[in-house]
């Protein structure tokens, strides 16, 4: 790979692995079950239509749980890079595109975070299309603060739904000199395809993960290990510590 000083614009894709050491389960950690549930039951529009109470309760529990978790060294290092990179001579933009629906990047102090799969701490009103910050439960069908309809659902992109802000992500990938993928299995599209797109558009590509991801062959360099170790090391290299 090129020396770090050659890079201006960096796009970082993060997945569940970056939050694993904060005590949040990854998606595929327990044999296809996610927190004891089948993905089809709790992370698809069909599952929600079939059993809305099960889905609302599941997300209510996760909304409570993530508020008890704290950012780890990987979130802290990425927040530092985000804050310090633009001020460097020759530094450009950093964009953290996360598949995670927790808020640990933000709580670590990162400013440029794009939640392509939505967020646990916002809700979406399917009646009026408004989104609201939300920390409480949904199981009792509270009214939407904007239109009063009892139509709030988790603001989480389920399988079969279109991820958020894809145009912005594609534009950022086109401007990127470096694409870094951290703690993601490379199994969920379209995020899994970003590495190929970034390469085609001219970026160098780096993967930091516990094990090789499914798209590992597309990366110029792979470093294997825990995010809490690899990410601070890499950020230190980029910032010239
Ligand atoms: P995934 O579970 O499919 O993959 C996680 C990857 O992280 C695996 O490759 C694993 O080897 C790696 N990993 C595990 N622990 C790690 C560590 N300590 N350091 C570095 N790497 C580690 O998750 P994904 O690729 O993010 O995609 C699946 C979906 O999961 C996304 O749609 C996302 O919305 C959802 N999800 C989000 C959260 C969250 O918000 N924290 C948690 C679970 C699932």
């Amino acid at each position: 790979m090129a020396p770090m000083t050659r890079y201006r614009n960096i796009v970082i894709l993060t997945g569940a692995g970056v939050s694993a050491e904060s005590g949040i389960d990854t998606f595929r950690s327990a044999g296809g079950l996610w927190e004891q549930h089948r993905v089809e039951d709790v992370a698809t529009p069909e599952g929600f239509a079939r059993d809305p109470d099960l889905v609302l309760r599941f997300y209510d529990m996760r909304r409570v749980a993530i508020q008890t978790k704290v950012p780890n060294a990987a979130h802290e290092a990425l927040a530092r890079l985000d804050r310090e990179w633009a001020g460097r001579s020759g530094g450009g933009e950093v964009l953290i595109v996360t598949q995670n629906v927790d808020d640990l990047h933000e709580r670590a102090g990162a400013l440029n975070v794009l939640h392509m799969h939505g967020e646990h701490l916002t809700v979406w009103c399917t009646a009026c299309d408004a989104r609201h910050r939300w920390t409480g439960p949904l199981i009792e069908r509270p009214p939407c603060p904007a239109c009063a309809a009892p139509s709030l659902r988790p603001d989480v992109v389920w399988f079969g739904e279109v991820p958020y802000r894809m145009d912005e992500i594609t534009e950022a990938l086109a401007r990127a000199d470096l694409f870094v993928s951290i703690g993601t299995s490379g199994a969920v599209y379209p995020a899994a395809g970003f590495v190929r797109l970034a390469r085609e558009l001219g970026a160098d590509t780096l993967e930091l993960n516990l094990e090789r991801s499914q798209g590992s062959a597309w990366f110029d360099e792979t470093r294997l290990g825990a995010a809490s170790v690899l990410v601070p090391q890499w950020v230190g290299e980029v910032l010239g510590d």
Side-chain angles (χ1 to χ4, degrees), residues 14-21 24-29 34 62 99-102 117 120 159 183-188 208-211 213 225-228:
T14 65
V18 89
S19 294
E21 290 162 89
I24 301 179
D25 255 11
T26 62
F27 213 37
R28 280 147 222 288
S29 45
W34 184 25
R62 293 190 65 79
Q99 298 167 89
N100 294 346
V101 289
D102 64 53
H117 290 164
H120 269 323
F159 288 95
T184 176
S185 59
V188 179
L208 309 177
N209 210 33
L210 210 49
E211 62 199 357
S213 68
S228 65

Side-chain angles (χ1 to χ4, degrees), residues 200-212:
E200 279 162 21
L201 295 171
D204 283 352
T205 53
L206 168 67
E207 164 176 57
L208 309 177
N209 210 33
L210 210 49
E211 62 199 357
R212 284 188 175 276

Side-chain angles (χ1 to χ4, degrees), residues 186-199:
V188 179
Y189 280 82
F194 291 168
V195 59
R196 285 181 67 171
L197 185 58
R199 268 180 88 110

Side-chain angles (χ1 to χ4, degrees), residues 27-111:
F27 213 37
R28 280 147 222 288
S29 45
L33 291 179
W34 184 25
E35 305 263 334
Q36 283 75 57
H37 288 280
R38 293 191 323 149
V39 168
E40 300 78 19
D41 292 336
V42 293
T44 62
E46 295 79 11
F48 186 48
R50 213 164 33 236
D51 193 346
D53 280 7
L54 172 82
V55 175
L56 292 177
R57 255 192 225 103
F58 176 79
Y59 286 93
D60 282 356
M61 277 164 45
R62 293 190 65 79
R63 198 175 302 109
V64 169
I66 64 153
Q67 293 176 69
T68 69
K69 311 295 182 189
V70 293
N72 65 53
H75 299 106
E76 306 282 359
L78 292 176
R80 180 182 165 222
L81 178 67
D82 185 7
R83 286 194 307 268
E84 295 186 17
W85 186 244
R88 299 268 147 161
S89 85
E93 59 178 289
V94 167
L95 176 65
I96 300 170
V97 176
T98 188
Q99 298 167 89
N100 294 346
V101 289
D102 64 53
D103 63 341
L104 296 183
H105 284 306
E106 287 91 340
R107 276 201 268 143
L111 302 172

Side-chain angles (χ1 to χ4, degrees), residues 98-196:
T98 188
Q99 298 167 89
N100 294 346
V101 289
D102 64 53
D103 63 341
L104 296 183
H105 284 306
E106 287 91 340
R107 276 201 268 143
L111 302 172
N112 299 300
V113 183
L114 189 162
H115 283 271
M116 64 177 293
H117 290 164
E119 297 177 64
H120 269 323
L121 296 181
T122 60
V123 291
W124 172 32
C125 176
T126 54
C128 74
D129 202 29
R131 285 181 168 79
H132 303 277
R133 185 170 161 81
W134 202 268
T135 53
L138 291 180
I139 188 69
E140 301 294 347
R141 312 300 199 275
C144 167
C147 75
S151 308
L152 299 173
R153 62 159 262 190
D155 188 19
V156 166
V157 176
W158 289 324
F159 288 95
E161 297 182 325
V162 181
Y164 296 154
R165 299 168 66 184
M166 285 300 296
D167 289 351
E168 271 174 73
I169 297 172
T170 308
E171 283 162 22
L173 289 172
R175 290 192 301 274
D177 311 295
L178 177 63
F179 171 78
V180 187
S181 170
I182 305 172
T184 176
S185 59
V188 179
Y189 280 82
F194 291 168
V195 59
R196 285 181 67 171

